[in-house]
């Protein structure tokens, strides 16, 4: 497998994991998106307008934590070449996996439904590591697969399709990205039937696996 195909497969896998963590955040942690900041900004806007039942604190903290995570990863990855998985990429992604794993232990020890501080800390740290992941994915630069949002991917899928007069050459990856986050969200919702920590644990395992495969593919290249 070429490096480009490997990067595409890894980014699609991360897109799937984002669907899981966003479903867990929205359904299990008071309507908070920790990966999809577009949804989070919309929720925050409605909350600030006083819409009933819409939270403000957790979405706001998640929004700023995501930005901080992206800044941290961006700073770490400055020397890394665009489009390559480097040792710095491995370090950033390993930190993301470890962060999710640590949160799993925290949620196992303290029920976020009963401990509001733990719930807020969980969504904030999840958003921070998702910001780091998004920055790493952006540095690798797989077209149409950002790992955290599919709106622009859907626009490309439709507007550049053969039906719209385009070439439609990138439709497989665009469709897989949409299906990845859709399937991930379904899996995330199912994990909540067991416990809040399960979805975070599954996310940690997936990101950890992506980190290992990405690191090994770097050495093969």
């Amino acid at each position: 497998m070429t490096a480009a195909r490997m990067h595409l497969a890894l980014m699609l896998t991360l897109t799937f994991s984002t669907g899981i963590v966003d479903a867990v955040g929205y359904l299990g942690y008071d309507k908070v998106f920790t990966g999809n900041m577009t949804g989070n900004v919309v929720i925050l806007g409605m909350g600030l307008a006083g819409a009933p039942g819409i939270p403000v604190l957790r979405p706001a903290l998640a929004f700023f934590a995501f930005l901080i995570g992206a800044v941290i990863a961006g700073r770490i990855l400055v020397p890394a070449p665009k489009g390559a998985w480097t040792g710095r990429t491995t370090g950033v992604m390993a930190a993301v996996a470890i962060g999710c794993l640590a949160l799993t232990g925290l949620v196992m020890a303290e029920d976020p439904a009963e401990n509001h501080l733990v719930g807020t800390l969980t969504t904030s740290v999840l958003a921070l590591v998702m910001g780091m992941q998004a920055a790493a994915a952006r540095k690798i630069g797989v077209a149409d697969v950002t790992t955290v949002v599919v709106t622009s991917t859907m626009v490309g899928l439709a507007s550049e399709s053969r039906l719209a007069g385009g070439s439609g050459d990138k439709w497989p990856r665009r469709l897989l990205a949409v299906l990845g986050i859709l399937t991930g969200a379904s899996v995330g919702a199912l994990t909540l039937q067991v416990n809040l920590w399960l979805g975070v644990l599954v996310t940690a395992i997936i990101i950890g696996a992506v980190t290992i495969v990405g690191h090994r593919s770097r050495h093969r290249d």
Side-chain angles (χ1 to χ4, degrees):
M1 183 180 292
T2 64
R5 287 182 177 272
M6 176 63 73
H7 291 166
L8 174 60
L10 295 178
M11 296 306 103
L12 288 172
T13 304
L14 291 178
T15 303
F16 171 76
S17 71
T18 299
I20 296 175
V21 78
D22 266 341
V24 171
Y26 186 84
L27 297 174
Y29 293 94
D30 195 26
K31 296 182 177 67
V32 179
F33 288 108
T34 55
N36 178 9
M37 287 300 113
T38 302
N40 226 24
V41 169
V42 172
I43 289 174
L44 183 58
M46 293 187 294
L48 290 173
I54 303 296
V56 172
L57 177 62
R58 286 185 183 179
L61 290 175
F63 175 78
F64 286 109
F66 186 94
L67 291 178
I68 292 170
V71 168
I72 292 171
R75 175 63 67 177
I76 294 171
L77 295 170
V78 164
K82 180 88 172 172
W85 187 295
T86 67
R88 288 175 178 267
T89 310
T90 299
V92 169
M93 294 305 301
V96 174
I98 291 170
C100 291
L101 195 59
L103 288 175
T104 301
L106 176 63
V107 177
M108 283 181 173
E110 291 286 341
D111 186 355
E114 298 179 1
N115 190 326
H116 185 77
L117 179 60
V118 170
T120 302
L121 180 63
T122 300
T123 53
S124 297
V125 175
L126 275 176
L128 186 142
V129 296
M130 287 297 105
M132 294 176 67
Q133 174 185 296
R138 183 177 178 85
K139 190 73 173 183
I140 292 174
V142 175
D144 296 302
V145 187
T146 65
T147 75
V148 291
V149 66
V150 292
T151 303
S152 58
T153 304
M154 292 174 65
V155 172
L157 177 64
S159 67
E160 296 176 13
S161 66
R162 291 183 179 180
L163 186 63
S167 64
D169 58 327
K170 293 181 180 178
W171 73 265
R173 69 171 59 185
R174 290 166 173 167
L175 181 60
L176 285 173
V178 174
L179 291 177
I181 208 162
L182 174 67
T183 307
S186 298
V187 172
L190 290 173
T191 63
L192 291 173
Q193 297 180 16
V194 179
N195 202 292
L196 281 171
W197 56 261
L198 182 58
V200 184
L201 176 61
V202 172
T203 301
I205 293 171
I206 292 173
I207 296 173
V210 167
T211 303
I212 293 170
V213 174
H215 186 71
R216 288 181 175 178
S217 68
R218 162 181 171 258
H219 286 298
R220 285 201 303 270
D221 292 339

